[in-house]
Amino acid sequence: MLGADIYFCNDGGNGSFTVQDSWSVAPQPPPSDVSQGGQDSIIYQHDITSLQNYSTRVLIFSRKLSTGDPFDTDIIHGPMDVIFAFSQSSELAWHGALNRMHSQINFYESSTAIAPSQTSTVSSSLLILHSISMYVAFIILYPLGIYVARYHRNLNRWLSIHTSLLSSVTSNVVVAALTAIIGTFGNTQSVHYKIGMAVIGLVGISSMAGYFATKLYMAHYRWSNLAAVFRYIHKYSGLLAYIVGLVDCYYGVVELSPTASEQVYYQLIFLVTVFIPPIGLYLYGEKQKHLNIDVKDYMGLNNLPLFRWEDVNHRVSLGAKWIVIDDIIYDIQKYMDFHPGGPYALNQMIGIDAAFAFNGRYTKKPLIEKFGSLGRRGANSDDEEDEKLRQQYVVNNPTTYVDEKLEALIYNHSRYARNILSNYAMGTLRDYDPTPRRSSKDVDDVTNSDSMLKESSLELGTSRVKRIPVHVNTFQHYIIGRKTLLTGPNARHPVYLFRLLFDEEDAEMHSRPGDSYLFQFVDDTGKLVSRSYTPIKVDSKGGIDFMIKLYNGEMTHYLSDAKSVRMRGPIPRTDLLNPFSESGCWKTLGLIAGGTGITPMLLIIDYHLKYCSRDPVTNRPNFHIHLLYANLDEKNIFGVKEIGELEERANGAITVTYIVSGIASEEFDGLVGNITPEVLIATMPKPLAQRKKFGLHLRVEADQPLQLVV
């Protein structure tokens, strides 16, 4: 009792007892008034134990009604609250909650006894109920509620279980408060009482904050910031309520202890029961986190229908709002207006595996971090010219390798977010891994000769590489690492060489003639825009190159300013390889291209230069390719450098003819005019007997090499 004028019978240790005038200043044995600078106000005291037979020790004493001592309470005319307490201990120790009573006494009246109706004793049944309610709330239910919120494996049910447990905590705290009030053993001046009031307030705040957070999250995304505030309040007020509740339980145990020796015993039991449940639950929860658990078990989603990535791509192309996270498919059409990040963030994840953004683990680190301030890869660069361009480009564009819009979407979502998302789960992906394309190393390890390829029985298009940078059925985001202008300043439409970067610098991708890669982006309205583009090289290391003409179309308009784009592939559009050759190479090729149609031709030529057999003496490839490249005028011609490099590698096995339909300068080394039969006869290989196979014109003659004209 803080601030109480206390008089207690004190054993002097020699068989005599005295009354000590004290003033309570802390929850501990009250010091005497004299020790605090006051005075001993007791005038007369006398031991009358021998004059009665119903008490162990009885002393009478007197003092002035008003002593003038600041450590004494004046006795007034009227009822005054008086507390009585006793202890069996001979030492000055806590009397315990069961050994006390209180009443109101008017000291001006002549009554010498306290009427029974004026005395209020502690109800043992209410005290037991109060103790059990507090124990169950803070020793059992609260640790379980925290464990469920943090570790429960079933993300679909943890929130309802957590809510039920914390609601039970609130109910138990209310019961404990009511029993203290009804039983009149709640001393309003005690530490236990005051901390208990704080616990009631914190539990109420935590419960209400959790309720409002849940409702606001499901109202509209415009309320998400306020919902996050309530969730923050719920989390930390709940944690504080748990800690303060344990402290309150400790003081309750102290008050229940009748003697000093029993007090130590009760405190020890309390501390053991307090720490064992949370520590045990924490260790068990941490162990569960590292178990290899099926994500469907983790989400409580074991009976969903199965889909493949082809199904996802098809449904999305028809307008479905499907996203994939950890092999679970979610239809988020009805969640667009509730997502805290707004519809834009969800739109950017439609149709792709969004685990990298949802789990906050984005592996595409900016290359400026990989290569340093100048983007250097070291002295052993495979392409010195490419390295110089890279360095110059990074210097001029220091933020090119970072897509800030994409980075802003990456966030490690909470278990609550996963719980909400589980309501929109509608399917799971089958264990389907499409056969990836082989890397160039797999082919190079065999040899370039047709005979060796035949002996090896290796099928082009298969792979032993476990990790491939681009997947045929799964869209992923790729950073646009370089965009180099290929056409002159006066070209009708500019053509750029785009390089899309892989996650890893040494990652390799293999493409074949007839393959294309599908680019995709989502506009601000959620509309998906997709276009196919053909790479210019068979083997791509660290990234893949495309020649793209920027028209006023949706995709090219996006690419003009974009720093990343979705991509999947390679997608076989047609098979342009020779079915009668183990290497897939043709002996004679006639290629006709106009504008950006040159890109599939570059891929065909690069494939033949890599895999066709060569003369062991001259190193000349055993094929001949005729390329007719048409454009409007000289200003629109591009790719001359790349074609020249292929001619140099071919050692005379490639014949290239440029033709423009407009006016040409005197320096132009090519044909002027339209493509006519005469032009075709002059530039293409001589025709042989024809037969149609696989949608292509194959020219075959006995004992003659196969020819292809595309």
Side-chain angles (χ1 to χ4, degrees), residues 469-490:
V470 188
H471 295 264
V472 65
N473 288 310
T474 309
F475 278 107
Q476 298 181 65
H477 282 94
Y478 294 87
I479 297 295
I480 299 175
R482 186 178 65 204
K483 188 172 69 173
T484 305
L485 181 64
L486 299 180
T487 52
N490 298 321

Side-chain angles (χ1 to χ4, degrees), residues 44 46-52 57-60:
Y44 169 79
H46 185 63
D47 190 336
I48 61 171
T49 304
S50 60
L51 301 180
Q52 50 82 44
R57 181 67 56 182
V58 179
L59 280 79
I60 62 173

Side-chain angles (χ1 to χ4, degrees), residues 557-570:
H557 179 73
Y558 170 79
L559 290 175
S560 62
D561 297 319
K563 293 187 177 181
S564 70
V565 67
R566 298 179 179 186
M567 180 176 67
R568 67 179 179 92

Side-chain angles (χ1 to χ4, degrees), residues 349-368:
M349 298 297 125
I350 291 174
I352 68 172
D353 189 341
F356 77 95
F358 189 81
N359 297 325
R361 293 189 293 270
Y362 189 41
T363 59
K364 301 179 189 299
K365 297 181 179 179
L367 289 191
I368 198 167

Side-chain angles (χ1 to χ4, degrees), residues 582-600:
E582 292 291 341
S583 66
C585 295
W586 299 87
K587 297 297 183 180
T588 306
L589 276 172
L591 306 177
I592 305 172
T596 52
I598 190 64
T599 56

Side-chain angles (χ1 to χ4, degrees), residues 369-381:
E369 295 180 4
K370 289 185 180 181
F371 304 128
S373 60
L374 292 180
R376 295 186 62 85
R377 290 184 296 178
N380 297 323
S381 174

Side-chain angles (χ1 to χ4, degrees), residues 512 514-518 532-535 546 568-573:
R512 298 194 303 180
D515 287 348
S516 66
Y517 290 76
L518 190 62
S532 293
Y533 295 98
T534 303
F546 299 89
R568 67 179 179 92
I571 302 171
R573 297 299 182 185

Side-chain angles (χ1 to χ4, degrees), residues 34 44 60 98 103 125 128 157 192 198 203 262 279 298 340 353 510 521 645 668 686 696:
V34 176
Y44 169 79
I60 62 173
L98 299 177
S103 182
S125 59
I128 292 173
R157 296 183 55 201
H192 176 60
V203 169
E262 291 179 348
I279 292 176
Y298 194 58
D353 189 341
H510 182 74
F521 77 95
E645 292 174 351
F668 178 64
K686 294 181 180 180
L696 304 174

